[in-house]
Amino acid sequence: MIAQLLKTPLTELTGVQHPVVQTGMGWVAGPRLVSGTANAGGLGILASATMTLAELEEAIVETKGRTDKPFGVNLRADAGDAPDRCQLLIDHGVKVASFALAPKPELIAKLKEHDIVVIPSIGAPKHAKKVASWGADAVMIQGGEGGGHTGNVPTTLLLPTVLDAVDIPVIAAGGFFDGRGLAAALSYGAAGVGMGTRFLLTQDSRVPDAVKQRYLEADLNGTVVSAKVDGMPHRMLRTDLVESVEESSFVKRLGPTTKRTLAFKKMSGMSWRELVKDGQAMKHGQDRTWTQMILAANTPMMLKAGLVEGDPSAGVLASGQVVGVIDDLPTCEELIDRVVTQAAAELRRASSYVL
């Protein structure tokens, strides 16, 4: 691992060596990828939304067995068992709690009482202001270039408006894959960058090799944003399945959706009452319609089919637009070393322009 070349509010806040975050991608960000990132000096984030409470604890214990470096866990703030999951982080001394949505103020306060760094993901300046006023330590923004659920505002516009809105560290995600992007983000005023697709395409990622090859073959037009998978805008690779879903009606998708809901119920171990309660919390927290809620069970099962079982004909492959410029599979250490080294070089070069 290279020596520390960049010191930012993110490295100081979390205790990691480099201002690079591996985002919490469902089915992808497991103990091997997270520990690989942590051991390379970055901030690895364990994805918990697709895990039961017991599985999450096992994953935390395994990650701690693989690394003695700081790492984080991504949580669904609207999950019915969010307080129990937060307690696991407290019990096991996890350094960072990241959230896909804004956690309640009392949850933030509880985590901070135990010196856990709280980093919600936000999509607008007003949301950043809200969580900052509740005590969040930092925020992560994702521009429309990012994979998975995304908005339509590009990183180059979202980042400066959020930086102007809050005085806590801001991590930029959406469109980052190399040291030039990190240097650019730091020049904007960000404290670091988050990368998803770039870490998915590493040797430490658990995604099947054949699926990784499918990503490497994609070009700059190889992704599409669709709301037909789960009712919310979702960026993914263009595949035959995605094209067919785009062309189908809700009625035609209802049968397969019901099957996937049953599969998700079995996988999660949740009762129907718990599923309904969890769905109501999600509907309230994300302002979804009931049609969107019916489709919501598509996401974890279709991602599992594509990213775990390696069957793009039955599942989707979440991806950022950067997939079109990625052509290799480095280790996490190789990736972080070259990103940080290039960023430092670019920042030195740019400083030569100042009179």
Side-chain angles (χ1 to χ4, degrees):
M1 182 172 63
I2 62 171
Q4 184 172 15
L5 299 177
L6 302 168
K7 183 180 180 181
T8 76
L10 174 63
T11 61
E12 293 186 299
L13 181 65
T14 62
V16 299
Q17 194 164 2
H18 307 303
V20 177
V21 180
Q22 162 256 303
T23 59
M25 301 165 281
W27 301 117
V28 177
R32 188 173 73 180
L33 181 60
V34 172
S35 60
T37 302
N39 287 329
L43 178 61
I45 304 292
L46 194 65
S48 76
T50 53
M51 299 178 185
T52 64
L53 191 64
E55 289 170 341
L56 174 57
E57 184 165 29
E58 290 176 4
I60 291 173
V61 171
E62 181 181 345
T63 304
K64 291 183 68 176
R66 290 171 172 263
T67 183
D68 59 357
K69 308 294 185 182
F71 67 93
V73 173
N74 182 256
L75 304 161
R76 260 187 53 207
D78 59 350
D81 62 353
D84 296 329
R85 291 173 181 258
C86 286
Q87 188 60 50
L88 283 182
L89 273 62
I90 294 170
D91 293 342
H92 291 281
V94 174
K95 181 63 178 180
V96 175
S98 74
F99 289 90
L101 296 170
K104 295 179 180 179
E106 53 268 30
L107 207 54
I108 295 176
K110 181 178 181 180
L111 290 166
K112 288 172 67 70
E113 284 176 7
H114 294 273
D115 298 321
I116 295 177
V117 177
V118 179
I119 308 178
S121 294
I122 55 91
K126 64 180 181 180
H127 299 147
K129 287 182 178 180
K130 179 173 68 174
V131 295
S133 70
W134 289 351
D137 297 292
V139 293
M140 178 180 286
I141 65 103
Q142 176 180 294
E145 303 93 325
H149 290 122
T150 190
N152 56 11
V153 180
T155 302
T156 51
L157 297 179
L158 181 59
L159 177 57
T161 56
V162 173
L163 285 166
D164 288 342
V166 297
D167 58 4
I168 58 176
V170 178
I171 303 162
F176 296 100
F177 65 99
D178 66 0
R180 292 170 297 182
L182 173 56
L186 296 179
S187 296
Y188 267 102
V193 297
M195 301 190 297
T197 305
R198 177 63 277 196
F199 275 102
L200 183 154
L201 293 173
T202 61
Q203 294 178 33
D204 299 293
S205 163
R206 64 178 289 187
V207 174
D209 290 341
V211 176
K212 290 179 184 178
Q213 188 59 41
R214 174 67 180 80
Y215 275 88
L216 293 175
E217 293 169 355
D219 59 24
L220 285 172
N221 295 313
T223 65
V224 62
V225 177
S226 173
K228 287 196 172 183
V229 171
D230 64 358
M232 301 291 281
H234 196 118
R235 184 179 292 282
M236 62 199 79
L237 288 188
R238 292 181 184 274
T239 63
D240 291 341
L241 174 65
V242 171
E243 296 292 347
S244 67
V245 168
E246 278 288 278
E247 296 172 0
S248 65
S249 67
F250 173 72
V251 174
K252 288 184 178 180
R253 301 197 307 275
L254 187 58
T257 294
T258 301
K259 291 181 180 178
R260 284 189 282 267
T261 299
L262 293 171
F264 177 72
K265 177 181 179 295
K266 181 178 180 180
M267 178 195 74
S268 66
M270 299 172 71
S271 67
W272 283 113
R273 180 178 180 182
E274 290 171 328
L275 275 176
V276 171
K277 183 178 179 181
D278 204 42
Q280 289 175 329
M282 185 187 296
K283 182 178 185 300
H284 174 74
Q286 300 180 26
D287 195 28
R288 294 192 184 190
T289 66
W290 279 112
T291 299
Q292 290 172 326
M293 288 308 307
I294 292 172
L295 291 172
N298 271 351
T299 301
M301 302 315 297
M302 293 187 79
L303 286 173
K304 183 182 180 184
L307 296 172
V308 179
E309 298 164 3
D311 185 3
S313 67
V316 298
L317 303 172
S319 176
Q321 285 184 301
V322 298
V323 70
V325 294
I326 296 174
D327 60 6
D328 65 347
L329 298 170
T331 65
C332 285
E333 182 174 355
E334 290 168 343
L335 173 62
I336 292 176
D337 282 2
R338 76 188 188 197
V339 166
V340 173
T341 300
Q342 185 184 32
E346 291 295 333
L347 289 169
R348 292 189 192 99
R349 182 182 62 81
S351 68
S352 69
Y353 298 158
V354 181
L355 297 178

